[in-house]
Amino acid sequence: MGKGGSRLGAGRPGWRGKTEHCRSLDVRRFASANMLRTGMWSWQWRDAVTGEEVASIGVIGQTYSVVLAYTAGGEAIRTRVPIVRTDCGFGGSRPWFACPSCSRRVALLFLRSRHFACRHCHRLSYGSQAADLCGRAWRRQRKIEARLGPDWRRPPHMHLKTYERLLKAILACERQRDAWLSGAVARLMGGLEALQKRFPNLIGVSD
Ligand SMILES: [Zn+2]
């Protein structure tokens, strides 16, 4: 993730982009971007497909914590997140976030309702994260499709390279949704089977 962290430059830290759909921070990425030290940094989220920056926050590195600085809904928010380290042998250590809400030691913090906290505090399940991904893939695809002509045709002014890139991005969105849907269907079928085993006489599935 070479591009994730960068020195806080001219840009004012704050939210750019409209949605705050479950953005996450990974302490391992902070570590590999060398942001767990004193300094002012910024963190950007990029669109997985187009690589465009969709949001960013300011990160103020302190000795045993980071301060997340951002604005959400017009409100300037500062959240201090302690960094704890566990010994991982060979003289090295592994960093963790201490969740600002419950102090649990976690690798990931998620943004929901303007605040960063761990998965447990936000009551996020992996399923809802997957559903989120699916919804995002749809929205991303609709945005890209708006730039193309009917039936994904190339608008006359568009460079061929741009067009090819957008088509690839659309296909990636479709693949992402397919992957989620096949997982969702498998879960549903698994649930039905379990129910049928428990209540063989109650559920009549006919076709
Ligand atoms: Zn928590």
Side-chain angles (χ1 to χ4, degrees):
M1 172 78 207
K3 286 183 179 164
S6 62
R7 189 116 204 147
L8 188 58
R12 181 168 50 89
W15 284 102
R16 290 195 284 269
K18 286 174 223 150
T19 55
E20 52 171 51
H21 266 276
C22 224
R23 305 212 182 285
S24 64
L25 295 174
D26 187 331
V27 73
R28 293 158 293 196
R29 288 174 140 194
F30 272 29
S32 57
N34 204 10
M35 289 161 63
L36 299 180
R37 61 191 166 112
T38 312
M40 302 263 286
W41 323 99
S42 77
W43 184 260
Q44 296 96 36
W45 285 273
R46 294 183 182 279
D47 188 295
V49 177
T50 65
E52 281 170 48
E53 182 184 320
V54 288
S56 70
I57 61 168
V59 178
I60 302 157
Q62 299 175 340
T63 312
Y64 296 108
S65 62
V66 291
V67 175
L68 307 176
Y70 55 99
T71 57
E75 187 191 352
I77 299 176
R78 298 278 179 279
T79 303
R80 202 177 83 85
V81 182
I83 302 292
V84 290
R85 290 182 179 273
T86 51
D87 200 5
C88 62
F90 309 107
S93 70
R94 219 214 107 149
W96 303 86
F97 291 131
C99 169
S101 177
C102 70
S103 299
R104 203 186 297 244
R105 201 171 67 195
V106 289
L108 294 170
L109 292 178
F110 297 89
L111 179 75
R112 272 281 163 102
S113 313
R114 304 182 183 183
H115 294 286
F116 282 98
C118 74
R119 188 164 65 84
H120 311 278
C121 288
H122 283 322
R123 292 194 174 77
L124 291 176
S125 68
Y126 286 112
S128 77
Q129 284 171 56
D132 241 27
L133 273 181
C134 180
R136 258 190 286 173
W138 263 121
R139 287 189 291 279
R140 186 157 58 223
Q141 180 168 346
R142 277 200 298 269
K143 256 192 189 164
I144 300 167
E145 282 172 343
R147 296 173 64 181
L148 300 177
D151 301 324
W152 298 356
R153 277 201 291 273
R154 177 160 71 107
H157 58 273
M158 186 177 277
H159 285 296
L160 190 59
K161 272 202 165 160
T162 309
Y163 178 62
E164 282 172 357
R165 186 171 57 83
L166 293 179
L167 279 188
K168 266 190 201 162
I170 287 185
L171 291 178
C173 291
E174 300 223 310
R175 271 200 303 273
Q176 204 173 30
R177 275 204 320 280
D178 280 352
W180 178 76
L181 283 172
S182 54
V185 169
R187 280 193 299 276
L188 184 67
M189 296 311 282
L192 277 180
E193 252 171 53
L195 271 177
Q196 265 177 309
K197 269 186 199 148
R198 256 185 95 186
F199 307 106
N201 301 320
L202 286 178
I203 301 178
V205 179
S206 56
D207 51 6

